[in-house]
Amino acid sequence: PAWPRRKDGSNLLAGRAYLEKQLLEQPDTQPRVEALYALSISSAMEHRRGPTRFEARSFLEMMQNRETLTPEQVALLLLIARNFAFEEEVRLLGGLLEQQLREQNALSSLSLSSLGHVYLALSMGMQQPAMADPVLHVMCVRLSESVGLTGWQQLAAFLALIMDDYWQGDFDIGVNY
């Protein structure tokens, strides 16, 4: 069933309340970081200057445990820090993500949707945007291997590529198929 759209904005408020509840009650890191990412996008789109109390607390907890996060979670946390304009945290998380990708050779084990998050995090204003090139290459190879298949991961990877190309004003991704 479709959600009824209300003109008073209460659906948006209910959605934010649900995501904030996930930040407080969810014991697992992945749903919490995804909820915080969604909230941070909302914050950036509303041009708020910073996170709410719940968002800030969750962000600080994740920053304290950043060494235990997966590359995808670090990428999402980096995107969250960028949305909240936390420049020092962007720098720290960018370095951690690059280190994880080098040390763990993690690209082969990441799903397409995870690769999309990593690619967005690395390609958006990082000190070493060249780190995004190998991620883009793996995404394109995986996408070409999955032609004819449908699914959320394939869609997420395509959207990541399209969003990055849109932001950079460049629709030539430089990969030969």
Side-chain angles (χ1 to χ4, degrees):
W3 288 85
R5 294 191 70 170
R6 298 186 182 132
K7 293 183 182 182
D8 64 359
S10 60
N11 284 354
L12 183 60
L13 293 175
R16 286 190 64 80
Y18 172 78
L19 291 171
E20 287 181 348
K21 183 177 178 184
Q22 296 305 301
L23 294 179
L24 295 172
E25 297 177 359
Q26 183 59 249
D28 297 326
T29 303
Q30 188 65 29
R32 289 179 66 230
V33 75
E34 289 173 359
L36 187 56
Y37 179 54
L39 288 166
S40 76
I41 291 171
S42 173
S43 175
M45 297 303 289
E46 295 171 3
H47 304 291
R48 281 194 288 139
R49 295 204 37 89
T52 66
R53 185 182 77 205
F54 299 119
E55 295 164 355
R57 185 170 74 186
S58 292
F59 182 82
L60 288 174
E61 288 172 8
M62 290 179 206
M63 280 299 293
Q64 290 172 346
N65 298 317
R66 65 185 175 270
E67 300 293 332
T68 65
L69 300 177
T70 67
E72 178 188 17
Q73 293 167 343
V74 171
L76 285 170
L77 200 57
L78 190 154
L79 292 169
I80 292 163
R82 187 171 293 123
N83 288 338
F84 288 141
F86 295 159
E87 293 179 25
E88 181 64 20
E89 287 79 2
V90 167
R91 189 188 61 72
L92 287 170
L93 292 164
L96 176 60
L97 180 58
E98 291 171 0
Q99 175 188 348
Q100 285 182 333
L101 293 175
R102 282 191 189 106
E103 291 177 358
Q104 299 174 9
N105 195 19
L107 292 181
S108 61
S109 64
L110 293 175
S111 69
L112 273 174
S113 59
S114 297
L115 285 167
H117 290 132
V118 169
Y119 179 72
L120 285 176
L122 289 173
S123 66
M124 294 175 54
M126 291 299 303
Q127 304 91 330
Q128 299 178 357
M131 286 291 296
D133 291 343
V135 178
L136 177 62
H137 178 74
V138 171
M139 287 174 66
C140 289
V141 168
R142 293 248 192 97
L143 284 168
S144 68
E145 292 171 348
S146 65
V147 171
L149 299 178
T150 57
W152 287 107
Q153 289 189 351
Q154 187 176 17
L155 178 61
F158 275 124
L159 289 175
L161 292 173
I162 291 168
M163 286 180 3
D164 181 63
D165 290 339
Y166 174 75
W167 284 324
Q168 294 188 26
D170 178 12
F171 287 92
D172 178 16
I173 60 174
V175 176
N176 296 324
Y177 293 99

